Amino acid sequence: MEWTGARYADGPTVELRTRIDAPPDRVWELVSDIELMPRLSAELQSVEWADGATGPALGAKFVGRNKHDALGEWSTTCHIVEFEPTRVFAWAVADPDDPSATWRFTVEPADGGAVLRQWVRLGPGRSGLSQAIDKMPEKEQKIVFVRLREFETAIATNLAAIKELAEGKVDA
């Protein structure tokens, strides 16, 4: 990732993609399984459906519990804001109208396999990162850049693991 000098209010994003030699339905099965994600993530510790939800659907909620050396431990309620089965799965963190972050997986058929994209946007709502920026406003661009690099690394790890699972190179 190159230095962009982005500020939190800019709504900076990260997006990575990978080609997977597996049917799109198999890739979708993995990305829409929220219980798989903590197994792939160093930061996300656990997830559970909330308010009676038992699976992904537009408007469904889940709670994620996170841990980060610099930011501590916290939990957030996530709201599914885009859901097109086999194609798009996106959730807003905290307030769906003013999220602290928005995450999205997109699955597209491609030459007998699939292209998987994972995308994240910071803000516009406040987050733990906002608190760090409040304490050190002169370092805002660096704080944002470091967090985006962490997200880039996490997304690369997610995509590689999903690819291996979907292609049958490791067991689920």
Side-chain angles (χ1 to χ4, degrees):
M1 168 174 284
E2 292 183 28
W3 173 263
T4 63
R7 296 187 177 280
Y8 193 82
D10 297 334
T13 65
V14 175
E15 180 179 37
L16 297 175
R17 58 176 262 156
T18 190
R19 167 84 170 66
I20 300 177
D21 291 321
D25 289 349
R26 173 65 179 140
V27 177
W28 175 257
E29 177 185 320
L30 295 167
V31 300
S32 62
D33 178 4
I34 66 164
E35 294 174 6
L36 172 65
M37 294 306 135
R39 292 181 22 212
L40 308 181
S41 173
E43 187 170 310
L44 181 61
Q45 302 297 297
S46 67
V47 294
E48 64 184 45
W49 290 108
D51 294 343
T54 58
L58 190 61
K61 298 177 190 177
F62 60 92
V63 176
R65 288 173 185 74
N66 299 275
K67 183 178 181 181
H68 185 282
D69 289 343
L71 301 172
E73 294 184 29
W74 69 97
S75 64
T76 55
T77 299
C78 299
H79 305 257
I80 298 178
V81 294
E82 289 181 72
F83 187 75
E84 297 175 41
T86 73
R87 200 170 129 15
V88 180
F89 179 44
W91 61 95
V93 179
D95 180 349
D97 296 322
D98 194 28
S100 59
T102 304
W103 292 84
R104 179 185 303 123
F105 281 110
T106 306
V107 180
E108 298 173 17
D111 301 321
V115 172
L116 174 62
R117 288 181 174 82
Q118 188 176 12
W119 172 91
V120 63
R121 181 186 65 222
L122 292 176
R126 290 183 56 81
S127 69
L129 205 60
S130 302
Q131 295 167 18
I133 292 166
D134 290 347
K135 291 178 184 174
M136 300 174 283
E138 72 285 358
K139 295 183 179 181
E140 178 179 4
Q141 292 170 304
K142 183 174 181 180
I143 291 167
V144 167
F145 181 72
V146 167
R147 190 62 169 148
L148 290 175
R149 288 189 63 196
E150 289 175 344
F151 283 166
E152 181 181 50
T153 299
I155 289 171
T157 299
N158 290 344
L159 295 180
I162 292 167
K163 178 180 176 73
E164 286 190 346
L165 288 166
E167 292 178 349
K169 294 178 181 172
V170 296
D171 292 329

